[in-house]
Coordinates of all heavy atoms in Angstrom, one line a residue:
M260 N -9.6 -12.2 4.8 CA -10.3 -11.1 4.1 C -9.2 -10.3 3.3 O -8.3 -9.8 3.9 CB -11.0 -10.2 5.1 CG -11.5 -8.9 4.5 SD -12.8 -8.3 5.5 CE -12.1 -7.0 6.4
A261 N -9.4 -10.1 2.1 CA -8.5 -9.4 1.2 C -9.2 -8.1 0.7 O -10.3 -8.1 0.4 CB -8.0 -10.2 0.1
K262 N -8.4 -7.1 0.6 CA -8.9 -5.8 0.0 C -8.0 -5.5 -1.2 O -6.8 -5.6 -1.2 CB -8.7 -4.7 1.0 CG -9.4 -4.8 2.3 CD -10.7 -4.2 2.2 CE -11.4 -4.3 3.6 NZ -12.7 -3.9 3.6
S263 N -8.7 -5.2 -2.3 CA -7.9 -4.8 -3.5 C -8.6 -3.6 -4.1 O -9.8 -3.5 -4.3 CB -8.1 -6.0 -4.6 OG -7.3 -5.6 -5.7
N264 N -7.7 -2.5 -4.2 CA -8.3 -1.3 -4.6 C -7.2 -0.3 -4.9 O -6.0 -0.6 -4.8 CB -9.2 -0.7 -3.5 CG -10.2 0.2 -4.0 OD1 -10.2 0.7 -5.1 ND2 -11.2 0.5 -3.1
K265 N -7.6 1.0 -5.2 CA -6.6 2.1 -5.3 C -6.4 2.7 -3.9 O -7.4 2.8 -3.1 CB -7.1 3.1 -6.2 CG -6.9 2.7 -7.7 CD -7.5 3.8 -8.6 CE -6.6 4.9 -8.8 NZ -7.1 5.9 -9.8
F266 N -5.2 3.0 -3.5 CA -4.9 3.5 -2.2 C -3.9 4.7 -2.4 O -3.1 4.7 -3.4 CB -4.2 2.5 -1.3 CG -5.0 1.3 -1.0 CD1 -5.0 0.2 -1.8 CD2 -5.8 1.3 0.1 CE1 -5.8 -0.9 -1.5 CE2 -6.6 0.2 0.4 CZ -6.6 -0.9 -0.4
T267 N -4.0 5.7 -1.6 CA -3.1 6.8 -1.5 C -2.2 6.6 -0.4 O -2.6 6.4 0.8 CB -3.9 8.2 -1.4 OG1 -4.8 8.3 -2.5 CG2 -2.9 9.3 -1.4
V268 N -0.9 6.8 -0.6 CA 0.1 6.6 0.4 C 0.1 7.9 1.3 O 0.2 9.0 0.8 CB 1.5 6.5 -0.1 CG1 2.6 6.4 1.0 CG2 1.6 5.2 -1.0
V269 N -0.2 7.7 2.6 CA -0.3 8.9 3.5 C 0.9 8.9 4.4 O 1.3 10.0 4.9 CB -1.6 8.9 4.4 CG1 -2.8 9.1 3.5 CG2 -1.7 7.6 5.2
S270 N 1.6 7.8 4.6 CA 2.8 7.7 5.5 C 3.8 6.8 4.8 O 3.5 5.6 4.6 CB 2.4 7.3 6.9 OG 3.6 7.1 7.6
E271 N 4.9 7.3 4.4 CA 5.9 6.5 3.7 C 6.4 5.4 4.6 O 6.4 5.5 5.8 CB 7.1 7.4 3.2 CG 6.7 8.4 2.2 CD 7.8 9.4 1.9 OE1 8.9 9.2 2.3 OE2 7.5 10.4 1.2
Q272 N 7.0 4.4 4.0 CA 7.5 3.3 4.8 C 8.6 3.8 5.7 O 9.5 4.5 5.3 CB 8.1 2.2 3.8 CG 8.4 0.9 4.4 CD 9.0 -0.1 3.4 OE1 10.1 0.0 3.0 NE2 8.1 -1.0 3.0
N273 N 8.6 3.3 6.9 CA 9.6 3.8 7.9 C 10.6 2.7 8.1 O 10.7 1.7 7.4 CB 8.9 4.2 9.3 CG 8.2 3.0 9.9 OD1 8.5 1.8 9.7 ND2 7.3 3.3 10.8
D274 N 11.5 3.0 9.1 CA 12.6 2.0 9.4 C 12.2 0.6 9.8 O 13.0 -0.3 9.8 CB 13.6 2.6 10.4 CG 14.3 3.9 10.0 OD1 14.3 4.1 8.7 OD2 14.7 4.6 10.8
H275 N 10.9 0.5 10.2 CA 10.4 -0.8 10.6 C 9.6 -1.4 9.5 O 8.8 -2.4 9.8 CB 9.5 -0.6 11.9 CG 10.3 0.0 13.0 ND1 11.2 -0.7 13.8 CD2 10.2 1.2 13.6 CE1 11.7 0.1 14.7 NE2 11.2 1.3 14.6
D276 N 9.7 -0.9 8.3 CA 9.0 -1.4 7.1 C 7.4 -1.2 7.2 O 6.7 -1.9 6.6 CB 9.3 -2.9 6.8 CG 10.7 -3.1 6.4 OD1 11.3 -2.1 5.9 OD2 11.2 -4.2 6.6
H277 N 7.0 -0.2 8.0 CA 5.6 0.0 8.2 C 5.2 1.3 7.3 O 6.0 2.2 7.2 CB 5.2 0.3 9.6 CG 5.5 -0.8 10.5 ND1 5.3 -0.7 11.9 CD2 5.9 -2.1 10.3 CE1 5.6 -1.9 12.4 NE2 6.0 -2.7 11.5
A278 N 4.1 1.2 6.7 CA 3.5 2.3 5.9 C 2.0 2.4 6.1 O 1.4 1.5 6.6 CB 3.8 2.1 4.4
A279 N 1.5 3.6 5.8 CA 0.0 3.8 5.9 C -0.5 4.2 4.6 O 0.1 5.1 3.9 CB -0.3 4.8 7.0
V280 N -1.7 3.7 4.2 CA -2.3 4.0 3.0 C -3.8 4.3 3.3 O -4.3 3.8 4.3 CB -2.2 2.9 1.9 CG1 -0.8 2.7 1.5 CG2 -2.8 1.6 2.3
R281 N -4.4 5.1 2.4 CA -5.8 5.5 2.6 C -6.5 5.0 1.4 O -6.1 5.2 0.2 CB -6.0 7.0 2.8 CG -7.4 7.4 3.1 CD -7.5 8.8 3.5 NE -6.9 8.9 4.8 CZ -6.0 9.9 5.2 NH1 -5.7 10.9 4.3 NH2 -5.5 10.0 6.4
A282 N -7.6 4.3 1.6 CA -8.4 3.8 0.5 C -8.9 5.0 -0.4 O -9.3 6.0 0.1 CB -9.6 3.0 1.0
H283 N -8.8 4.8 -1.7 CA -9.1 5.9 -2.6 C -10.4 5.6 -3.3 O -10.6 4.6 -3.9 CB -8.0 5.9 -3.6 CG -8.0 7.1 -4.6 ND1 -7.5 8.3 -4.2 CD2 -8.3 7.1 -5.8 CE1 -7.6 9.1 -5.2 NE2 -8.1 8.4 -6.2
P284 N -11.4 6.4 -3.1 CA -11.6 7.6 -2.4 C -12.3 7.6 -1.1 O -12.7 8.6 -0.5 CB -12.4 8.4 -3.4 CG -13.4 7.4 -3.9 CD -12.6 6.1 -4.0
R285 N -12.5 6.4 -0.5 CA -13.3 6.2 0.8 C -12.6 6.8 2.0 O -13.3 6.9 3.1 CB -13.6 4.8 1.0 CG -14.5 4.2 -0.1 CD -14.9 2.8 0.2 NE -13.8 2.0 0.6 CZ -13.1 1.2 -0.2 NH1 -13.3 1.3 -1.5 NH2 -12.1 0.5 0.3
N286 N -11.3 7.0 2.0 CA -10.6 7.5 3.2 C -10.5 6.6 4.4 O -10.1 7.0 5.5 CB -11.2 8.8 3.6 CG -11.0 9.9 2.6 OD1 -10.0 9.9 1.9 ND2 -11.9 10.9 2.6
E287 N -10.6 5.3 4.2 CA -10.3 4.3 5.2 C -8.8 4.1 5.3 O -8.2 3.9 4.2 CB -11.0 3.0 5.0 CG -12.5 3.0 5.0 CD -13.1 1.8 4.4 OE1 -12.6 1.2 3.4 OE2 -14.2 1.4 4.9
T288 N -8.2 4.2 6.4 CA -6.7 4.1 6.5 C -6.3 2.6 6.9 O -7.0 2.0 7.7 CB -6.2 5.0 7.6 OG1 -6.6 6.3 7.3 CG2 -4.7 4.9 7.7
Y289 N -5.3 2.1 6.2 CA -4.8 0.8 6.4 C -3.3 0.9 6.8 O -2.6 1.6 6.1 CB -5.0 -0.1 5.2 CG -6.4 -0.3 4.8 CD1 -7.1 0.6 4.0 CD2 -7.1 -1.4 5.2 CE1 -8.4 0.5 3.7 CE2 -8.4 -1.6 4.9 CZ -9.1 -0.7 4.1 OH -10.4 -0.8 3.8
H290 N -2.9 0.2 7.8 CA -1.5 0.2 8.2 C -0.8 -1.1 7.7 O -1.2 -2.2 8.1 CB -1.4 0.3 9.8 CG -2.0 1.5 10.3 ND1 -1.4 2.7 10.3 CD2 -3.3 1.7 10.8 CE1 -2.2 3.6 10.8 NE2 -3.4 3.1 11.1
I291 N 0.1 -0.9 6.8 CA 0.8 -2.1 6.2 C 2.1 -2.4 7.1 O 2.9 -1.5 7.3 CB 1.3 -1.7 4.8 CG1 0.1 -1.4 3.9 CG2 2.1 -2.9 4.2 CD1 0.4 -0.8 2.6
V292 N 2.1 -3.6 7.6 CA 3.2 -4.0 8.5 C 3.9 -5.3 8.0 O 4.9 -5.7 8.6 CB 2.7 -4.3 10.0 CG1 2.1 -3.0 10.5 CG2 1.6 -5.4 10.0
D293 N 3.4 -5.9 6.9 CA 4.0 -7.1 6.4 C 3.8 -7.1 4.9 O 3.0 -6.4 4.3 CB 3.3 -8.3 7.0 CG 4.0 -9.6 6.8 OD1 5.2 -9.6 6.5 OD2 3.5 -10.7 7.0
Y294 N 4.6 -7.9 4.2 CA 4.7 -8.0 2.8 C 4.8 -9.4 2.3 O 5.4 -10.3 3.0 CB 5.9 -7.2 2.3 CG 5.9 -5.8 2.8 CD1 6.4 -5.4 4.0 CD2 5.3 -4.8 2.0 CE1 6.4 -4.1 4.5 CE2 5.2 -3.5 2.5 CZ 5.7 -3.2 3.7 OH 5.7 -1.9 4.2
A295 N 4.1 -9.7 1.2 CA 4.1 -11.1 0.6 C 5.5 -11.5 0.2 O 5.8 -12.7 0.3 CB 3.1 -11.2 -0.5
D296 N 6.3 -10.5 -0.3 CA 7.6 -10.9 -0.7 C 8.5 -9.6 -0.8 O 8.0 -8.5 -0.5 CB 7.6 -11.6 -2.1 CG 6.9 -10.8 -3.1 OD1 6.9 -9.5 -3.1 OD2 6.3 -11.4 -4.0
G297 N 9.7 -9.8 -1.1 CA 10.6 -8.6 -1.2 C 10.3 -7.6 -2.3 O 10.5 -6.4 -2.1
T298 N 9.6 -8.1 -3.3 CA 9.2 -7.1 -4.4 C 8.2 -6.2 -3.9 O 8.2 -5.0 -4.1 CB 8.7 -7.9 -5.6 OG1 9.7 -8.8 -6.1 CG2 8.2 -7.0 -6.7
A299 N 7.2 -6.7 -3.2 CA 6.1 -5.8 -2.6 C 6.7 -4.9 -1.6 O 6.4 -3.7 -1.6 CB 5.0 -6.7 -1.9
R300 N 7.7 -5.3 -0.8 CA 8.3 -4.5 0.2 C 9.1 -3.4 -0.5 O 9.0 -2.2 -0.1 CB 9.2 -5.3 1.1 CG 9.9 -4.5 2.2 CD 11.0 -5.3 3.0 NE 10.6 -6.6 3.2 CZ 9.9 -7.1 4.3 NH1 9.6 -6.3 5.2 NH2 9.6 -8.4 4.4
D301 N 9.8 -3.7 -1.5 CA 10.6 -2.7 -2.2 C 9.8 -1.7 -3.0 O 10.1 -0.5 -3.0 CB 11.6 -3.4 -3.2 CG 12.6 -4.2 -2.6 OD1 12.9 -4.0 -1.4 OD2 13.3 -5.0 -3.3
R302 N 8.7 -2.1 -3.5 CA 7.8 -1.2 -4.2 C 7.2 -0.2 -3.3 O 7.1 1.0 -3.6 CB 6.7 -1.9 -5.0 CG 7.2 -2.6 -6.2 CD 6.1 -3.2 -7.1 NE 6.7 -3.7 -8.3 CZ 6.0 -4.5 -9.1 NH1 4.7 -4.7 -8.9 NH2 6.6 -4.9 -10.2
V303 N 6.8 -0.7 -2.1 CA 6.2 0.3 -1.1 C 7.3 1.2 -0.6 O 7.1 2.4 -0.4 CB 5.5 -0.5 0.0 CG1 5.1 0.5 1.2 CG2 4.3 -1.3 -0.5
A304 N 8.5 0.7 -0.4 CA 9.6 1.5 0.1 C 9.9 2.7 -0.9 O 10.4 3.7 -0.5 CB 10.9 0.7 0.2
D305 N 9.6 2.5 -2.2 CA 9.9 3.5 -3.2 C 8.8 4.6 -3.3 O 9.0 5.5 -4.1 CB 10.2 2.9 -4.6 CG 11.5 2.1 -4.6 OD1 12.4 2.3 -3.8 OD2 11.6 1.2 -5.5
L306 N 7.7 4.4 -2.6 CA 6.6 5.3 -2.8 C 6.6 6.5 -1.9 O 6.7 6.4 -0.7 CB 5.3 4.5 -2.5 CG 5.0 3.4 -3.4 CD1 3.8 2.6 -2.9 CD2 4.7 3.9 -4.8
P307 N 6.6 7.7 -2.5 CA 6.5 8.9 -1.7 C 5.1 9.1 -1.2 O 4.1 8.6 -1.9 CB 6.9 10.0 -2.6 CG 6.6 9.5 -4.0 CD 6.8 8.0 -3.9
A308 N 4.9 9.8 -0.2 CA 3.5 10.2 0.3 C 2.8 10.9 -0.8 O 3.4 11.7 -1.6 CB 3.6 11.1 1.5
G309 N 1.5 10.6 -1.0 CA 0.8 11.2 -2.1 C 0.6 10.3 -3.3 O -0.2 10.5 -4.2
S310 N 1.5 9.3 -3.4 CA 1.4 8.3 -4.6 C 0.1 7.6 -4.5 O -0.4 7.2 -3.4 CB 2.5 7.3 -4.5 OG 3.8 8.0 -4.7
V311 N -0.5 7.2 -5.6 CA -1.7 6.4 -5.7 C -1.2 5.1 -6.3 O -0.5 5.0 -7.3 CB -2.7 7.1 -6.6 CG1 -3.9 6.2 -6.8 CG2 -3.2 8.4 -6.0
V312 N -1.6 4.0 -5.6 CA -1.2 2.6 -6.0 C -2.4 1.7 -6.0 O -3.4 1.9 -5.3 CB -0.1 2.1 -5.0 CG1 1.1 2.9 -5.1 CG2 -0.6 2.0 -3.6
R313 N -2.3 0.7 -6.8 CA -3.3 -0.4 -6.7 C -2.6 -1.5 -5.9 O -1.4 -1.9 -6.2 CB -3.6 -1.0 -8.1 CG -4.4 0.0 -8.9 CD -5.1 -0.7 -10.1 NE -5.8 0.2 -10.9 CZ -7.1 0.6 -10.5 NH1 -7.7 0.1 -9.5 NH2 -7.7 1.5 -11.3
M314 N -3.3 -2.0 -4.9 CA -2.7 -3.0 -4.0 C -3.8 -4.0 -3.7 O -5.0 -3.7 -3.7 CB -2.3 -2.4 -2.6 CG -1.2 -1.5 -2.6 SD -0.8 -1.1 -0.9 CE 0.7 -0.3 -1.0
E315 N -3.3 -5.2 -3.4 CA -4.1 -6.2 -2.7 C -3.6 -6.4 -1.3 O -2.4 -6.6 -1.1 CB -4.0 -7.5 -3.5 CG -5.0 -8.6 -2.9 CD -5.0 -9.9 -3.6 OE1 -4.5 -9.9 -4.8 OE2 -5.5 -10.8 -3.1
L316 N -4.4 -6.2 -0.3 CA -4.1 -6.3 1.1 C -4.8 -7.5 1.7 O -6.0 -7.7 1.4 CB -4.4 -5.0 1.8 CG -3.8 -3.7 1.3 CD1 -4.4 -2.5 2.2 CD2 -2.3 -3.7 1.4
S317 N -4.1 -8.1 2.6 CA -4.8 -9.2 3.4 C -4.4 -8.9 4.9 O -3.5 -8.2 5.2 CB -4.3 -10.6 3.0 OG -2.9 -10.7 3.3
R318 N -5.3 -9.4 5.8 CA -5.0 -9.2 7.2 C -3.7 -9.8 7.6 O -3.3 -10.8 7.2 CB -6.1 -9.9 8.0 CG -7.4 -9.3 7.9 CD -7.7 -8.6 9.3 NE -9.1 -8.0 9.2 CZ -9.4 -6.8 9.6 NH1 -8.4 -6.0 10.0 NH2 -10.6 -6.4 9.5
A319 N -3.0 -9.0 8.5 CA -1.7 -9.5 9.0 C -1.9 -9.8 10.5 O -2.0 -9.0 11.4 CB -0.6 -8.4 8.9
G320 N -2.2 -11.1 10.8 CA -2.5 -11.5 12.1 C -3.9 -11.1 12.6 O -4.7 -10.9 11.8
R321 N -4.0 -11.1 13.9 CA -5.4 -10.8 14.5 C -5.6 -9.4 14.9 O -6.7 -9.1 15.3 CB -5.6 -11.7 15.7 CG -5.5 -13.2 15.3 CD -5.8 -14.0 16.5 NE -5.3 -15.3 16.3 CZ -5.4 -16.3 17.2 NH1 -6.0 -16.1 18.3 NH2 -4.9 -17.5 16.9
R322 N -4.6 -8.6 14.8 CA -4.8 -7.2 15.2 C -5.8 -6.5 14.3 O -5.9 -6.9 13.1 CB -3.5 -6.5 15.2 CG -2.6 -7.0 16.3 CD -1.2 -6.4 16.4 NE -1.4 -4.9 16.5 CZ -0.4 -4.1 16.3 NH1 0.8 -4.6 15.9 NH2 -0.5 -2.8 16.5
S323 N -6.4 -5.5 14.8 CA -7.6 -4.9 14.1 C -7.3 -4.2 12.7 O -8.0 -4.4 11.8 CB -8.3 -3.9 15.0 OG -7.4 -2.8 15.3
N324 N -6.2 -3.4 12.6 CA -6.0 -2.7 11.4 C -4.6 -2.7 10.9 O -4.0 -1.7 10.6 CB -6.4 -1.2 11.6 CG -6.6 -0.5 10.3 OD1 -6.8 -1.1 9.3 ND2 -6.4 0.8 10.4
V325 N -4.0 -3.9 10.9 CA -2.7 -4.1 10.3 C -2.8 -5.1 9.1 O -3.6 -6.1 9.2 CB -1.7 -4.6 11.3 CG1 -1.4 -3.5 12.3 CG2 -2.1 -5.9 12.0
W326 N -2.1 -4.8 8.0 CA -2.3 -5.5 6.8 C -1.0 -5.9 6.2 O 0.0 -5.3 6.4 CB -3.1 -4.5 5.8 CG -4.4 -4.2 6.4 CD1 -4.7 -3.2 7.3 CD2 -5.6 -4.9 6.1 NE1 -6.0 -3.2 7.5 CE2 -6.6 -4.2 6.8 CE3 -6.0 -5.9 5.3 CZ2 -8.0 -4.6 6.8 CZ3 -7.3 -6.3 5.2 CH2 -8.3 -5.7 6.0
C327 N -1.1 -6.9 5.3 CA 0.0 -7.4 4.5 C -0.2 -7.0 3.1 O -1.3 -7.3 2.5 CB 0.1 -9.0 4.6 SG 1.3 -9.7 3.6
A328 N 0.8 -6.4 2.4 CA 0.7 -6.1 1.0 C 1.0 -7.3 0.2 O 2.1 -7.8 0.2 CB 1.6 -4.9 0.7
E329 N 0.0 -7.8 -0.5 CA 0.2 -9.0 -1.3 C 0.7 -8.7 -2.7 O 1.6 -9.4 -3.2 CB -1.2 -9.7 -1.5 CG -1.7 -10.2 -0.1 CD -0.9 -11.4 0.5 OE1 -0.2 -12.1 -0.2 OE2 -1.0 -11.6 1.7
S330 N 0.2 -7.6 -3.3 CA 0.7 -7.1 -4.5 C 0.6 -5.6 -4.6 O -0.2 -5.0 -3.9 CB -0.1 -7.7 -5.7 OG -1.4 -7.2 -5.7
V331 N 1.5 -4.9 -5.3 CA 1.6 -3.5 -5.3 C 1.9 -3.1 -6.8 O 2.9 -3.5 -7.4 CB 2.8 -2.9 -4.4 CG1 2.8 -1.4 -4.5 CG2 2.6 -3.5 -3.0
H332 N 1.0 -2.2 -7.3 CA 1.2 -1.7 -8.7 C 1.0 -0.2 -8.7 O -0.1 0.3 -8.3 CB 0.2 -2.4 -9.6 CG 0.3 -3.8 -9.6 ND1 1.2 -4.5 -10.3 CD2 -0.5 -4.8 -9.0 CE1 1.1 -5.8 -10.1 NE2 0.1 -6.0 -9.3
V333 N 2.0 0.5 -9.0 CA 2.0 2.0 -8.9 C 1.0 2.5 -10.0 O 1.1 2.1 -11.2 CB 3.4 2.6 -9.1 CG1 3.3 4.1 -9.1 CG2 4.3 2.1 -8.0
A334 N 0.1 3.4 -9.6 CA -0.8 4.0 -10.6 C -0.4 5.4 -11.0 O -0.3 5.7 -12.1 CB -2.2 4.0 -10.0
E335 N 0.0 6.2 -10.0 CA 0.5 7.5 -10.3 C 1.3 8.1 -9.1 O 1.1 7.6 -8.0 CB -0.6 8.5 -10.6 CG -1.7 8.6 -9.6 CD -3.0 9.3 -10.1 OE1 -3.6 8.8 -11.0 OE2 -3.3 10.3 -9.5
T336 N 2.1 9.0 -9.3 CA 2.9 9.6 -8.2 C 2.1 10.8 -7.7 O 1.1 11.2 -8.3 CB 4.3 10.0 -8.7 OG1 4.2 11.1 -9.6 CG2 5.1 8.9 -9.3
D337 N 2.7 11.5 -6.7 CA 2.0 12.6 -6.2 C 2.0 13.8 -7.2 O 1.2 14.7 -7.0 CB 2.7 13.1 -4.8 CG 4.1 13.4 -5.0 OD1 4.7 13.0 -6.0 OD2 4.7 14.0 -4.1
G338 N 2.8 13.7 -8.2 CA 2.8 14.7 -9.2 C 1.8 14.4 -10.4 O 1.7 15.1 -11.3
G339 N 1.1 13.3 -10.2 CA 0.1 12.9 -11.2 C 0.6 12.2 -12.4 O -0.1 12.1 -13.4
V340 N 1.9 11.8 -12.4 CA 2.5 11.2 -13.5 C 2.1 9.7 -13.5 O 2.3 9.0 -12.5 CB 4.0 11.3 -13.5 CG1 4.7 10.6 -14.6 CG2 4.4 12.8 -13.5
D341 N 1.6 9.2 -14.6 CA 1.2 7.8 -14.7 C 2.5 7.0 -15.0 O 3.1 7.1 -16.0 CB 0.2 7.6 -15.9 CG -0.3 6.2 -16.0 OD1 0.1 5.3 -15.1 OD2 -1.1 5.9 -16.8
V342 N 2.8 6.1 -14.0 CA 4.0 5.3 -14.2 C 3.7 3.8 -14.4 O 4.6 2.9 -14.2 CB 5.0 5.5 -13.0 CG1 5.5 6.9 -13.0 CG2 4.3 5.1 -11.7
A343 N 2.4 3.5 -14.6 CA 2.0 2.1 -14.8 C 2.8 1.4 -15.9 O 3.1 0.2 -15.9 CB 0.5 2.0 -15.0
E344 N 3.1 2.1 -17.0 CA 3.8 1.6 -18.1 C 5.2 1.2 -17.8 O 5.7 0.2 -18.3 CB 3.8 2.6 -19.3 CG 2.4 2.9 -19.9 CD 1.8 1.7 -20.4 OE1 2.5 0.9 -21.1 OE2 0.6 1.5 -20.2
V345 N 5.8 1.9 -16.9 CA 7.2 1.6 -16.4 C 7.2 0.3 -15.6 O 8.1 -0.5 -15.7 CB 7.8 2.8 -15.6 CG1 9.1 2.4 -15.0 CG2 7.8 4.0 -16.4
E346 N 6.2 0.0 -14.8 CA 6.1 -1.2 -14.0 C 5.8 -2.4 -14.8 O 6.1 -3.5 -14.4 CB 5.0 -1.0 -13.0 CG 5.2 0.1 -12.0 CD 6.2 -0.3 -10.9 OE1 6.2 -1.5 -10.6 OE2 6.9 0.6 -10.4
S347 N 5.2 -2.3 -16.0 CA 4.8 -3.4 -16.8 C 6.0 -4.2 -17.3 O 7.0 -3.9 -17.6 CB 4.0 -3.0 -18.0 OG 2.8 -2.3 -17.5

């Protein structure tokens, strides 16, 4: 099962490469614990809390609410600045 949508970063990536995002605007929280590749991991690592991103998430194992970030595209930062053009 894959989820693709806009998400708000609620917890920045920690030392264990885990981050939490909230579906925008539904408020469902997803815990990211795995990444498709180094690019996805690096993009999430650069996101401050409050950033809005477009991501595709897939289940990471059998645990109930842990996810793998398949793709990450920054939509805006917590300051409301559109940075999508920079990522292109």
Side-chain angles (χ1 to χ4, degrees):
M260 170 157 100
K262 302 267 184 185
S263 182
N264 206 344
K265 282 176 79 173
F266 298 90
T267 301
V268 177
V269 293
S270 176
E271 296 174 10
Q272 192 180 77
N273 64 22
D274 293 341
H275 302 286
D276 292 335
H277 299 176
V280 295
R281 186 168 292 135
H283 188 77
R285 293 183 316 268
N286 291 331
E287 297 167 322
T288 301
Y289 297 86
H290 300 277
I291 300 170
V292 300
D293 196 14
Y294 302 87
D296 55 32
T298 299
R300 181 185 324 267
D301 292 345
R302 284 187 177 171
V303 172
D305 290 340
L306 297 172
S310 296
V311 177
V312 296
R313 290 198 180 277
M314 289 185 171
E315 182 176 345
L316 302 178
S317 63
R318 289 252 184 227
R321 297 183 200 183
R322 294 179 55 196
S323 63
N324 194 24
V325 292
W326 297 84
C327 174
E329 299 291 338
S330 64
V331 181
H332 304 281
V333 177
E335 58 192 61
T336 67
D337 59 345
V340 177
D341 185 359
V342 293
E344 296 298 319
V345 176
E346 294 281 330
S347 300

